[in-house]
PDB file of all heavy atoms in Angstrom:
ATOM      1  N   GLN A 128      -7.749  -1.076  -1.066  1.00 95.00           N
ATOM      2  CA  GLN A 128      -7.411  -0.782  -2.491  1.00 95.00           C
ATOM      3  C   GLN A 128      -6.919  -1.973  -3.236  1.00 95.00           C
ATOM      4  O   GLN A 128      -6.664  -3.054  -2.632  1.00 95.00           O
ATOM      5  CB  GLN A 128      -6.254   0.275  -2.469  1.00 95.00           C
ATOM      6  CG  GLN A 128      -4.956  -0.174  -1.802  1.00 95.00           C
ATOM      7  CD  GLN A 128      -3.896   0.901  -1.829  1.00 95.00           C
ATOM      8  OE1 GLN A 128      -3.349   1.221  -2.883  1.00 95.00           O
ATOM      9  NE2 GLN A 128      -3.695   1.519  -0.661  1.00 95.00           N
ATOM     10  N   PRO A 129      -6.930  -1.975  -4.586  1.00 93.00           N
ATOM     11  CA  PRO A 129      -6.546  -3.126  -5.383  1.00 93.00           C
ATOM     12  C   PRO A 129      -5.282  -3.834  -5.041  1.00 93.00           C
ATOM     13  O   PRO A 129      -5.186  -5.120  -5.053  1.00 93.00           O
ATOM     14  CB  PRO A 129      -6.527  -2.582  -6.806  1.00 93.00           C
ATOM     15  CG  PRO A 129      -7.434  -1.464  -6.765  1.00 93.00           C
ATOM     16  CD  PRO A 129      -7.297  -0.819  -5.432  1.00 93.00           C
ATOM     17  N   ALA A 130      -4.229  -3.145  -4.517  1.00 94.00           N
ATOM     18  CA  ALA A 130      -2.986  -3.797  -4.204  1.00 94.00           C
ATOM     19  C   ALA A 130      -3.190  -4.881  -3.134  1.00 94.00           C
ATOM     20  O   ALA A 130      -2.420  -5.890  -3.292  1.00 94.00           O
ATOM     21  CB  ALA A 130      -2.022  -2.676  -3.605  1.00 94.00           C
ATOM     22  N   PHE A 131      -4.114  -4.751  -2.223  1.00 95.00           N
ATOM     23  CA  PHE A 131      -4.242  -5.749  -1.194  1.00 95.00           C
ATOM     24  C   PHE A 131      -4.983  -7.000  -1.608  1.00 95.00           C
ATOM     25  O   PHE A 131      -5.305  -7.778  -0.746  1.00 95.00           O
ATOM     26  CB  PHE A 131      -4.850  -5.065   0.064  1.00 95.00           C
ATOM     27  CG  PHE A 131      -3.808  -4.050   0.619  1.00 95.00           C
ATOM     28  CD1 PHE A 131      -4.011  -2.692   0.486  1.00 95.00           C
ATOM     29  CD2 PHE A 131      -2.695  -4.465   1.350  1.00 95.00           C
ATOM     30  CE1 PHE A 131      -3.111  -1.794   0.955  1.00 95.00           C
ATOM     31  CE2 PHE A 131      -1.818  -3.634   1.808  1.00 95.00           C
ATOM     32  CZ  PHE A 131      -1.979  -2.212   1.598  1.00 95.00           C
ATOM     33  N   GLU A 132      -5.294  -7.096  -2.930  1.00 93.00           N
ATOM     34  CA  GLU A 132      -5.776  -8.430  -3.430  1.00 93.00           C
ATOM     35  C   GLU A 132      -4.565  -9.351  -3.732  1.00 93.00           C
ATOM     36  O   GLU A 132      -4.816 -10.507  -4.072  1.00 93.00           O
ATOM     37  CB  GLU A 132      -6.678  -8.129  -4.646  1.00 93.00           C
ATOM     38  CG  GLU A 132      -7.972  -7.365  -4.222  1.00 93.00           C
ATOM     39  CD  GLU A 132      -8.690  -7.055  -5.575  1.00 93.00           C
ATOM     40  OE1 GLU A 132      -8.294  -7.325  -6.644  1.00 93.00           O
ATOM     41  OE2 GLU A 132      -9.741  -6.291  -5.388  1.00 93.00           O
ATOM     42  N   HIS A 133      -3.313  -8.722  -3.778  1.00 93.00           N
ATOM     43  CA  HIS A 133      -2.228  -9.568  -4.054  1.00 93.00           C
ATOM     44  C   HIS A 133      -2.064 -10.578  -2.947  1.00 93.00           C
ATOM     45  O   HIS A 133      -2.245 -10.273  -1.779  1.00 93.00           O
ATOM     46  CB  HIS A 133      -0.996  -8.739  -4.188  1.00 93.00           C
ATOM     47  CG  HIS A 133       0.127  -9.502  -4.733  1.00 93.00           C
ATOM     48  ND1 HIS A 133       0.885 -10.423  -4.088  1.00 93.00           N
ATOM     49  CD2 HIS A 133       0.724  -9.351  -5.994  1.00 93.00           C
ATOM     50  CE1 HIS A 133       1.849 -10.825  -4.887  1.00 93.00           C
ATOM     51  NE2 HIS A 133       1.726 -10.234  -6.058  1.00 93.00           N
ATOM     52  N   PRO A 134      -1.758 -11.841  -3.260  1.00 93.00           N
ATOM     53  CA  PRO A 134      -1.627 -12.923  -2.169  1.00 93.00           C
ATOM     54  C   PRO A 134      -0.655 -12.509  -1.122  1.00 93.00           C
ATOM     55  O   PRO A 134      -0.764 -12.840   0.067  1.00 93.00           O
ATOM     56  CB  PRO A 134      -1.184 -14.153  -2.912  1.00 93.00           C
ATOM     57  CG  PRO A 134      -1.674 -13.940  -4.291  1.00 93.00           C
ATOM     58  CD  PRO A 134      -1.637 -12.441  -4.551  1.00 93.00           C
ATOM     59  N   ARG A 135       0.432 -11.752  -1.494  1.00 93.00           N
ATOM     60  CA  ARG A 135       1.484 -11.366  -0.502  1.00 93.00           C
ATOM     61  C   ARG A 135       0.994 -10.126   0.357  1.00 93.00           C
ATOM     62  O   ARG A 135       1.789  -9.891   1.335  1.00 93.00           O
ATOM     63  CB  ARG A 135       2.784 -11.098  -1.233  1.00 93.00           C
ATOM     64  CG  ARG A 135       3.410 -12.149  -2.037  1.00 93.00           C
ATOM     65  CD  ARG A 135       4.263 -13.032  -1.137  1.00 93.00           C
ATOM     66  NE  ARG A 135       5.379 -12.362  -0.540  1.00 93.00           N
ATOM     67  CZ  ARG A 135       6.630 -12.314  -1.108  1.00 93.00           C
ATOM     68  NH1 ARG A 135       6.787 -12.861  -2.300  1.00 93.00           N
ATOM     69  NH2 ARG A 135       7.583 -11.599  -0.491  1.00 93.00           N
ATOM     70  N   LEU A 136      -0.078  -9.520   0.040  1.00 94.00           N
ATOM     71  CA  LEU A 136      -0.452  -8.368   0.777  1.00 94.00           C
ATOM     72  C   LEU A 136      -1.830  -8.498   1.488  1.00 94.00           C
ATOM     73  O   LEU A 136      -2.213  -7.608   2.228  1.00 94.00           O
ATOM     74  CB  LEU A 136      -0.528  -7.177  -0.228  1.00 94.00           C
ATOM     75  CG  LEU A 136       0.782  -6.642  -0.734  1.00 94.00           C
ATOM     76  CD1 LEU A 136       0.590  -5.572  -1.789  1.00 94.00           C
ATOM     77  CD2 LEU A 136       1.742  -6.218   0.379  1.00 94.00           C
ATOM     78  N   ARG A 137      -2.524  -9.565   1.217  1.00 92.00           N
ATOM     79  CA  ARG A 137      -3.837  -9.681   1.830  1.00 92.00           C
ATOM     80  C   ARG A 137      -3.803  -9.620   3.332  1.00 92.00           C
ATOM     81  O   ARG A 137      -2.938 -10.203   3.967  1.00 92.00           O
ATOM     82  CB  ARG A 137      -4.470 -11.037   1.395  1.00 92.00           C
ATOM     83  CG  ARG A 137      -5.001 -11.014   0.005  1.00 92.00           C
ATOM     84  CD  ARG A 137      -5.495 -12.384  -0.509  1.00 92.00           C
ATOM     85  NE  ARG A 137      -5.881 -12.369  -1.957  1.00 92.00           N
ATOM     86  CZ  ARG A 137      -5.937 -13.307  -2.743  1.00 92.00           C
ATOM     87  NH1 ARG A 137      -5.664 -14.580  -2.213  1.00 92.00           N
ATOM     88  NH2 ARG A 137      -6.237 -13.208  -4.010  1.00 92.00           N
ATOM     89  N   GLY A 138      -4.775  -8.802   3.858  1.00 90.00           N
ATOM     90  CA  GLY A 138      -4.847  -8.633   5.257  1.00 90.00           C
ATOM     91  C   GLY A 138      -3.900  -7.580   5.863  1.00 90.00           C
ATOM     92  O   GLY A 138      -3.912  -7.288   7.055  1.00 90.00           O
ATOM     93  N   TRP A 311       4.184  -0.575 -14.066  1.00 96.00           N
ATOM     94  CA  TRP A 311       5.232  -1.472 -13.718  1.00 96.00           C
ATOM     95  C   TRP A 311       5.078  -2.862 -14.435  1.00 96.00           C
ATOM     96  O   TRP A 311       4.030  -3.194 -14.923  1.00 96.00           O
ATOM     97  CB  TRP A 311       5.349  -1.756 -12.171  1.00 96.00           C
ATOM     98  CG  TRP A 311       4.092  -2.535 -11.667  1.00 96.00           C
ATOM     99  CD1 TRP A 311       2.880  -2.018 -11.277  1.00 96.00           C
ATOM    100  CD2 TRP A 311       4.009  -3.952 -11.432  1.00 96.00           C
ATOM    101  NE1 TRP A 311       2.082  -3.081 -10.910  1.00 96.00           N
ATOM    102  CE2 TRP A 311       2.744  -4.280 -10.968  1.00 96.00           C
ATOM    103  CE3 TRP A 311       4.961  -4.998 -11.686  1.00 96.00           C
ATOM    104  CZ2 TRP A 311       2.325  -5.594 -10.652  1.00 96.00           C
ATOM    105  CZ3 TRP A 311       4.561  -6.306 -11.376  1.00 96.00           C
ATOM    106  CH2 TRP A 311       3.198  -6.536 -10.838  1.00 96.00           C
ATOM    107  N   SER A 327      -3.313  -5.525  -8.777  1.00 93.00           N
ATOM    108  CA  SER A 327      -2.713  -5.608  -7.545  1.00 93.00           C
ATOM    109  C   SER A 327      -1.170  -5.352  -7.685  1.00 93.00           C
ATOM    110  O   SER A 327      -0.581  -5.977  -8.515  1.00 93.00           O
ATOM    111  CB  SER A 327      -2.987  -6.884  -6.729  1.00 93.00           C
ATOM    112  OG  SER A 327      -2.545  -7.948  -7.510  1.00 93.00           O
ATOM    113  N   GLY A 328      -0.647  -4.431  -6.984  1.00 94.00           N
ATOM    114  CA  GLY A 328       0.834  -4.206  -7.122  1.00 94.00           C
ATOM    115  C   GLY A 328       1.129  -2.877  -6.354  1.00 94.00           C
ATOM    116  O   GLY A 328       1.538  -2.952  -5.241  1.00 94.00           O
ATOM    117  N   PHE A 384       8.904  -7.307  -3.642  1.00 95.00           N
ATOM    118  CA  PHE A 384       8.692  -8.653  -4.046  1.00 95.00           C
ATOM    119  C   PHE A 384       8.009  -8.709  -5.401  1.00 95.00           C
ATOM    120  O   PHE A 384       7.924  -9.865  -5.918  1.00 95.00           O
ATOM    121  CB  PHE A 384       7.877  -9.416  -2.940  1.00 95.00           C
ATOM    122  CG  PHE A 384       6.376  -8.956  -2.846  1.00 95.00           C
ATOM    123  CD1 PHE A 384       5.391  -9.160  -3.790  1.00 95.00           C
ATOM    124  CD2 PHE A 384       6.022  -8.233  -1.664  1.00 95.00           C
ATOM    125  CE1 PHE A 384       4.123  -8.715  -3.672  1.00 95.00           C
ATOM    126  CE2 PHE A 384       4.764  -7.769  -1.539  1.00 95.00           C
ATOM    127  CZ  PHE A 384       3.748  -8.007  -2.535  1.00 95.00           C
ATOM    128  N   LEU A 385       7.524  -7.601  -5.965  1.00 96.00           N
ATOM    129  CA  LEU A 385       6.965  -7.642  -7.296  1.00 96.00           C
ATOM    130  C   LEU A 385       7.901  -7.964  -8.381  1.00 96.00           C
ATOM    131  O   LEU A 385       7.523  -8.408  -9.484  1.00 96.00           O
ATOM    132  CB  LEU A 385       6.256  -6.232  -7.659  1.00 96.00           C
ATOM    133  CG  LEU A 385       5.101  -5.807  -6.803  1.00 96.00           C
ATOM    134  CD1 LEU A 385       4.710  -4.440  -7.159  1.00 96.00           C
ATOM    135  CD2 LEU A 385       3.915  -6.782  -7.050  1.00 96.00           C
TER     136      LEU A 385
END
Side-chain angles (χ1 to χ4, degrees):
Q128 64 181 286
F131 293 103
E132 293 172 5
H133 194 287
R135 296 278 296 273
L136 293 175
R137 283 177 186 155
W311 68 274
S327 59
F384 66 73
L385 293 175

